[in-house]
Amino acid sequence: MLYPAVAVRSFRRYSTYRAATLAGIFTNSVFGLIYSYAYIQLWRAAPHAGGYDTRDAITYVWLAQSLVMTVAMWSGGTTDDLNERIRTGDVSVDLYRPVPLLWWYYAGDLGRATYHFCTRGLAPSLIGLVLFDIRGPASATAAAGFVVSIFLAVSVSFAVRFLVAATAFWVLDSSGVRLMSSVLSMALSGLTLPLNLVPGVAGTVVRALPWASYVQVPIDVYLGKHRGTDLLAALGLQALWAVVLLAGCALVLDRATRKVVVQGG
Amino acid sequence: MSLIDVRDLARTFVVRKRTQGHPPWRSRTRAEVRAVHDLTFSIDAGEMVGYIGPNGAGKSTTIKMLTGILVPTAGVLRVAGLDPSRQRTDLARRIGVVFGQRTSLWWDLPLRDSFELLQRIYRVDPVRHRRTLAEYVELLDLGDLLDTPVRQLSLGQRMRGDITAALLHDPEILYLDEPTIGLDVVSKGRLREFLRTLNAERGTTLMLTTHDLQDIEALCDRVIVIDRGTAVFDGPLAGLHQREDSRRTLVVDLVDEAPPIEVEGAETRRVDGPRQWLSFPAGQSAAPIVAAVAASYAVADLSIQEPDIEEVIREIYAGP
Amino acid sequence: MGEALAAYVAISRLWIRSSLEYPVSFAMMTVGSVLSTGIDFVGIWVMFSHLTTYGGFDLREMGFLYGTSQLAIGFADLVVGNVERIGMQIRLGRLDTMMTKPVPLIVQICADQFALRRVARIVQGSAVLAWAAWGVDWTPARIAVLVLMLTSGAAIFVGLFVSFSCVQFWTSDASELGNAFTYGGASLLEYPLTVFPRRVALGLTFVLPIAFANWYPSLYILGRHDTSGLPHWLELASPVAAGVTVVVTAAVWRLGVRHYTSTGS
C-alpha cells in the first residue's frame, strides 16, 4: 500500500501548481500551432513522409506536446528533488531509510506523470482536436497500447533522469551532464521531428535508442503504425530499455550508497 | 533645513484575503490597513535616532518610504531635499541601507568582488575606495573573509560585510533595519562601538530600527517610538526612561523554595517554585541587588532580563 | 544611459569572470547550449531530405531565416534573459535591496547572474547565417538592411522578453507565459511566414510585430516578395517596429515598477 500512497501524494502535490500548469498548457498549445502549420507545409511537398499522412503528422504534433510534460523530458519530475537533495547532502537521510529510494522516487514520478497527463497531457490534445480535428486512436488495441506505452515512456524517462541526477554523487557540478541529457532528449525523442523522417542507417539507430521511447513510440502506437506482433515488439523494446535502465539505476544507487556510508557523503 | 523631513506621512495597504467557505471566485474580502498615518518628524544631519516600536507598528514601512522603495499614499517626504520615490537613484548615492534580514551583497560572489562592484556602481574614486575599504576591513575584522563567497559567511560576518558595503561610498545617512538581530553579545557590542565612532568622526546620520533596547541605549540620543502606524513618543532617550519606570528583572533560582525575597531596591513580582522574579529600576546597577540576594539566600543561579520594548511602549500608552 | 550601460558592464563582468573560473564546466555548458539551441536546424535539415523547397524556400534560404531568428532571440536572451526571473527576485525580497542602489532596476535584474554561455545561440545562429549568406546576391542596400534587421530584431526580442516578464509584477505564477511568445516567436520565425494562416501573419505584423525581426527584411535581402499580398514597404519597416516595441516596453516596465512601489511586497 505504500507505493500507491506515494504516487497519490505526488499527484496531489503537483496539482497545487495550478497557474504554472495553465501557463504551461498555453505554451504547449502555441508550439502545437506552430508545428502544425510547419508540418502541413512539409507534408504538402512530401505527402507520405515517414509513413504519415498530413492528418497523422498534425496528430503527432499535438500528442508530442501533450507528452512533453508527462514524460518530464528534461526536468519537472521527482528527480529534480533527488538532484536537490544530493546537492545539499540531505539524501544521506533518504539512504538510511528502510524504503528503497529508487522505488520511492519512481512511484512519486508515476503519480506526477498521471497528474501531468490529465492536465498538460489532455488539454493540448483537446485543443488539437478542436482546432485541427486530430485523429483518435487507430483502434481499441492502439488505445490500450498507447496507455501502456506512456507508462513505459515515463519509466524510461525516469530511469534516464535518475541516472543523470545520480551523477551528482560523484561530480561537483552536474549541470553540464543535465544539459547534455536534455539535448539528447530533445533531439532523439522525436519531439522536434518524427524520428521516422530521419533517413537511412541514422534513422534506424535513433529509433532503437531509449529516447525514442519518450515520444516517438507512444505516438506511433496510437496512430496504429505498429500492429500485431509489431506492436508487441515496439512495447517490448520500451520495456527492455525500462528494465535495463532501472537496473542500472539500482546499481548506481548501490555504489552511491556505499560511497555515502563509507565517506560520509 | 532638516536632512530628513517627514510631514503627515501616510501609507495604506489594500489587503485581499481569501475567505474560507466561499467558492474561489467570490471569496475576496478587501480590507484597508493603515500601516502608517499622520507621521511627522524631522531629523537633522549628524543625529543618531532610534526608531522603535512593536512588530507591525510600521517601522519597516517607514524605512521603505524613506529609501524610495515604497510610495507614500499621502503626506510630504523629503530626504536630503529629494523625493525618495521619484529621485531614487539620485538619493541612493547619498544613503546606505543595512537590512538585518537580507543582504545587499551579491550572494554567490566573494566579498571582495561585491566591494569592487560597489566601487564601480557608486563611482567612488579608486584611491579613496581603497583607503576606505582598508579602514573598514581592519575595523570590522574582515581580512580573512574577503575571498569567501557571501553565502558561506555566518550571520555576524555577513552583517559586517553589509555595513562595509553600505558605507563604502561615504553616505550622509545610514539606515539600519534590525542590524543586531541574531548576533552574539560580543558582536553586538563591537557593532555598536563601530557605529558610535562612525557618527562621531564622520558625522554620518544614523537611523536605526530595532527591538533591542540596549542598541538604543548604546547608540541613540533620540528616540521615536512608533505604534500602530504613528509616532507616540519623540524625544531624547532619557525622556523615555523618565516617562515611566523602565524596569529590569532579576530572575533568581534559589536552591530551595522560599517565601518572596525581600531585598533593598527591588520588588519581587512573581514566585514559581524555587524561581523568583525581582523587578528593579532599569537605570540601576544589578550588582548590589545580586550581592544582597546572594548574601541572604542560597542561590543556585541568576539571570537578568532586559526590559521588553513592547512593555516600554505599553507603559507609554498606559500613561504616566 | 551611459551610466546604466557602465553599471551593466561592471556587474556582468564579475559574473563572466566567475564562470570562467571553472573553464571545463563553462566549456561543457556552452557546447551543450550550442547543441540544444541548434537542434531545430538539424530538424530543418532532415526535413530537406524529403523535399527540395519548403514554401518556396530552399535550404539556404531557410538557413537565412533560421540564423536571423536565432540571432535576434540569442542577443535578447544573453542581455536581458534574466528578466524572466523577476518574480523570483521579488519573492526573495531582492528587489528592495536592489532599489537601494543607484543603478536602474532593469540593469541590476538583467546583469545579475549574467550567463555568458547564452552566447551559444548567437554562435550557432551566426554559423548557419554565414553559410546561408553565401548564397545571397549582396548589394550595399541589402547589407544595410541586414544590419538594420539584426539590430531591430534584437531590439524587438529584448522588448518581448521584458514586456512579458512584467506580468510577474502582478502575479508570480505566470512566468512561463512569456515563453510562448518569446521562444515560440523565435521558433515560428524559422519558417516562412506564408506557411501560417493569414490571420497569424497579420497578427505578427500589426499586433505583436515579431515578423519584423527577420521575415520582412529577409524578403528584401533574398529578393523575394511576400506572396500573401502585404505591402512591400513593410520590408524596410523593421526599425520602426523596433522603435515602437522599445517605447511600449519602457512604458510597461515603468507601469510594473510603479505597481511594485505602490503596493509593497
Side-chain angles (χ1 to χ4, degrees):
Chain A
M1 265 332 279
L2 173 64
Y3 294 115
V6 171
V8 167
R9 209 183 60 181
S10 184
F11 181 102
R12 255 194 249 140
R13 170 187 160 201
Y14 282 89
S15 69
T16 57
Y17 299 128
R18 233 166 315 188
T21 304
L22 284 172
I25 292 175
F26 181 71
T27 308
N28 286 137
S29 307
V30 167
F31 276 99
L33 273 170
I34 295 173
Y35 287 129
S36 295
Y37 290 114
Y39 284 12
I40 289 175
Q41 184 64 41
L42 171 56
W43 263 263
R44 198 174 291 163
H48 301 288
Y52 303 115
D53 62 22
T54 310
R55 202 163 166 226
D56 284 338
I58 299 176
T59 309
Y60 187 100
V61 167
W62 290 94
L63 287 178
Q65 289 300 314
S66 301
L67 288 174
V68 168
M69 205 53 208
T70 307
V71 159
M73 208 164 287
W74 43 89
S75 73
T78 55
T79 42
D80 287 358
D81 298 337
L82 178 64
N83 219 316
E84 190 58 28
R85 290 182 76 78
I86 297 177
R87 201 182 62 84
T88 56
D90 289 342
V91 71
S92 44
V93 172
D94 296 340
L95 291 171
Y96 289 128
R97 285 219 188 100
V99 180
L101 188 129
L102 182 58
W103 302 121
W104 182 276
Y105 277 94
Y106 185 34
D109 206 47
L110 288 174
R112 171 209 63 79
T114 312
Y115 170 71
H116 279 142
F117 180 73
C118 296
T119 52
R120 290 179 71 160
L122 291 180
S125 295
L126 286 173
I127 295 174
L129 182 65
V130 167
L131 293 177
F132 290 95
D133 191 28
I134 59 174
R135 284 194 204 284
S139 63
T141 328
F146 184 56
V147 174
V148 172
S149 189
I150 293 178
F151 162 73
L152 292 171
V154 174
S155 306
V156 175
S157 159
F158 167 77
V160 170
R161 279 182 281 120
F162 190 94
L163 287 170
V164 168
T167 57
F169 280 114
W170 289 275
V171 174
L172 188 63
D173 181 15
S174 62
S175 53
V177 180
R178 267 181 289 143
L179 182 59
M180 289 302 178
S181 171
S182 67
V183 168
L184 290 170
S185 309
M186 270 194 281
L188 303 174
S189 59
L191 175 66
T192 44
L193 199 72
L195 298 177
N196 291 345
L197 290 179
V198 179
V201 178
T204 323
V205 169
V206 299
R207 284 189 288 275
L209 291 174
W211 293 281
S213 305
Y214 290 18
V215 169
Q216 182 71 46
V217 175
I219 297 181
D220 277 346
V221 168
Y222 178 99
L223 290 172
K225 300 300 174 191
H226 295 293
R227 291 176 195 279
T229 47
D230 204 21
L231 174 60
L232 289 172
L235 294 175
L237 183 59
Q238 270 186 307
L240 183 64
W241 276 119
V243 166
V244 166
L245 290 170
L246 283 171
C249 291
L251 208 82
V252 164
L253 197 56
D254 185 57
R255 279 269 159 79
T257 313
R258 241 177 287 155
K259 176 178 186 279
V260 167
V261 169
V262 168
Q263 289 188 2
Chain B
M1 216 201 57
S2 315
L3 191 58
I4 299 177
D5 204 2
V6 174
R7 250 175 292 151
D8 298 316
L9 196 66
R11 176 67 227 192
T12 307
F13 289 111
V14 175
V15 177
R16 283 175 224 273
K17 282 221 193 96
R18 188 166 290 182
T19 48
Q20 298 283 55
H22 284 247
W25 56 89
R26 274 197 55 216
S27 66
R28 308 305 200 88
T29 52
R30 199 170 171 279
E32 279 195 4
V33 174
R34 289 203 310 171
V36 169
H37 64 94
D38 305 302
L39 187 63
T40 302
F41 61 83
S42 19
I43 297 177
D44 291 321
E47 284 197 65
M48 286 174 68
V49 178
Y51 196 64
I52 59 180
N55 281 325
K59 303 192 296 294
S60 293
T61 308
T62 312
I63 300 288
K64 283 187 183 177
M65 288 192 280
L66 287 169
T67 50
I69 296 172
L70 197 57
V71 174
T73 35
V76 181
L77 173 57
R78 290 285 177 274
V79 178
L82 301 168
D83 181 349
S85 55
R86 279 186 221 274
Q87 295 164 283
R88 183 183 72 75
T89 41
D90 290 333
L91 184 59
R93 294 195 183 280
R94 300 164 69 171
I95 64 172
V97 186
V98 178
F99 291 102
Q101 317 266 30
R102 285 172 267 172
T103 183
S104 57
L105 301 164
W106 280 269
W107 198 240
D108 295 299
L109 297 177
L111 199 53
R112 189 193 294 278
D113 286 355
S114 277
F115 294 148
E116 183 189 322
L117 199 46
L118 288 166
Q119 180 255 322
R120 268 184 244 267
I121 284 175
Y122 284 96
R123 290 181 288 159
V124 179
D125 168 61
V127 175
R128 221 185 82 209
H129 169 84
R130 228 173 304 141
R131 207 183 331 129
T132 314
L133 184 59
E135 221 182 289
Y136 287 126
V137 163
E138 216 215 288
L139 268 172
L140 293 168
D141 203 13
L142 292 172
D144 298 323
L145 304 171
L146 286 175
D147 292 306
T148 317
V150 171
R151 77 183 121 84
Q152 288 176 9
L153 296 174
S154 73
L155 183 63
Q157 294 168 333
R158 210 202 67 208
M159 179 57 63
R160 277 144 49 199
D162 268 317
I163 297 219
T164 309
L167 292 171
L168 274 176
H169 57 286
D170 211 11
E172 294 162 53
I173 308 170
L174 181 65
Y175 297 102
L176 301 121
D177 195 1
E178 308 272 5
T180 60
I181 209 167
L183 293 181
D184 62 85
V185 170
V186 174
S187 302
K188 282 191 196 190
R190 280 166 52 190
L191 189 60
R192 289 176 196 145
E193 176 67 44
F194 172 82
L195 291 172
R196 259 201 305 268
T197 315
L198 182 71
N199 173 259
E201 290 184 4
R202 285 185 207 249
T204 312
T205 309
L206 251 61
M207 189 168 170
L208 164 74
T209 71
T210 183
H211 270 277
D212 189 334
L213 205 59
Q214 286 202 304
D215 282 348
I216 302 291
E217 303 270 1
L219 292 171
C220 306
D221 319 314
R222 174 179 164 197
V223 167
I224 300 174
V225 180
I226 179 168
D227 190 21
R228 277 171 272 185
T230 197
V232 295
F233 177 87
D234 182 356
L237 180 59
L240 196 67
H241 284 302
Q242 281 160 11
R243 257 193 75 122
E244 50 76 52
D245 270 318
S246 170
R247 300 180 75 82
R248 290 154 81 192
T249 307
L250 179 69
V251 183
V252 182
D253 284 329
L254 298 171
V255 172
D256 296 306
E257 280 190 41
I261 295 174
E262 278 171 52
V263 94
E264 170 114 10
E267 208 183 291
T268 305
R269 287 275 173 92
R270 188 173 149 211
V271 176
D272 186 5
R275 178 169 281 194
Q276 303 202 14
W277 284 258
L278 276 63
S279 169
F280 62 97
Q284 208 174 294
S285 166
I289 300 172
V290 169
V293 170
S296 317
Y297 297 84
V299 174
D301 203 356
L302 331 127
S303 67
I304 298 179
Q305 282 178 358
E306 296 306 320
D308 194 347
I309 197 75
E310 337 260 324
E311 245 184 78
V312 169
I313 294 159
R314 228 178 292 136
E315 307 258 7
I316 290 178
Y317 242 14
Chain C
M1 183 64 200
E3 275 178 38
L5 200 61
Y8 188 98
V9 169
I11 299 175
S12 53
R13 243 172 62 176
L14 234 52
W15 289 102
I16 295 173
R17 208 168 68 189
S18 161
S19 59
L20 290 177
E21 264 164 41
Y22 298 101
V24 175
S25 174
F26 176 73
M28 211 164 52
M29 289 297 282
T30 310
V31 168
S33 298
V34 168
L35 293 174
S36 73
T37 54
I39 285 173
D40 279 357
F41 192 65
V42 172
I44 292 174
W45 183 61
V46 168
M47 244 180 21
F48 271 78
S49 57
H50 296 265
L51 41 72
T52 45
T53 59
Y54 182 86
F57 282 63
D58 65 27
L59 185 57
R60 242 184 235 276
E61 289 170 321
M62 290 292 285
F64 196 86
L65 289 178
Y66 175 86
T68 47
S69 146
Q70 293 297 290
L71 281 174
I73 192 173
F75 179 83
D77 195 20
L78 179 70
V79 170
V80 302
N82 287 325
V83 75
E84 293 179 321
R85 298 176 320 148
I86 193 169
M88 188 185 82
Q89 307 280 41
I90 292 176
R91 261 201 306 279
L92 292 174
R94 296 225 184 115
L95 226 64
D96 287 351
T97 39
M98 285 183 188
M99 290 184 87
T100 60
K101 300 196 175 102
V103 177
L105 199 56
I106 184 83
V107 169
Q108 292 188 62
I109 291 176
C110 294
D112 194 43
Q113 306 230 311
F114 183 83
L116 186 60
R117 65 178 157 76
R118 291 196 187 135
V119 79
R121 200 184 277 267
I122 298 177
V123 166
Q124 54 96 3
S126 304
V128 175
L129 182 61
W131 170 76
W134 209 246
V136 172
D137 190 14
W138 292 104
T139 68
R142 286 181 177 177
I143 294 178
V145 171
L146 176 71
V147 171
L148 283 176
M149 168 170 64
L150 292 176
T151 42
S152 304
I156 290 172
F157 270 90
V158 164
L160 286 175
F161 266 96
V162 174
S163 301
F164 284 109
S165 294
C166 284
V167 172
Q168 297 180 46
F169 278 118
W170 282 269
T171 158
S172 57
D173 288 330
S175 56
E176 234 195 280
L177 205 66
N179 287 351
F181 295 101
T182 51
Y183 296 103
S187 281
L188 190 148
L189 291 177
E190 292 169 11
Y191 304 98
L193 199 61
T194 43
V195 157
F196 302 96
R198 197 180 159 78
R199 258 173 298 139
V200 170
L202 287 174
L204 295 178
T205 307
F206 297 110
V207 178
L208 262 181
I210 299 180
F212 288 100
N214 77 342
W215 171 248
Y216 290 113
S218 295
L219 289 176
Y220 182 86
I221 293 174
L222 296 173
R224 308 171 131 262
H225 287 302
D226 189 283
T227 49
S228 68
L230 288 167
H232 294 334
W233 55 260
L234 288 175
E235 293 164 16
L236 301 173
S238 285
V240 174
V244 169
T245 309
V246 167
V247 166
V248 169
T249 302
V252 172
W253 176 259
R254 265 199 300 272
L255 213 73
V257 175
R258 191 153 10 123
H259 174 87
Y260 180 76
T261 57
S262 304
T263 55
S265 44

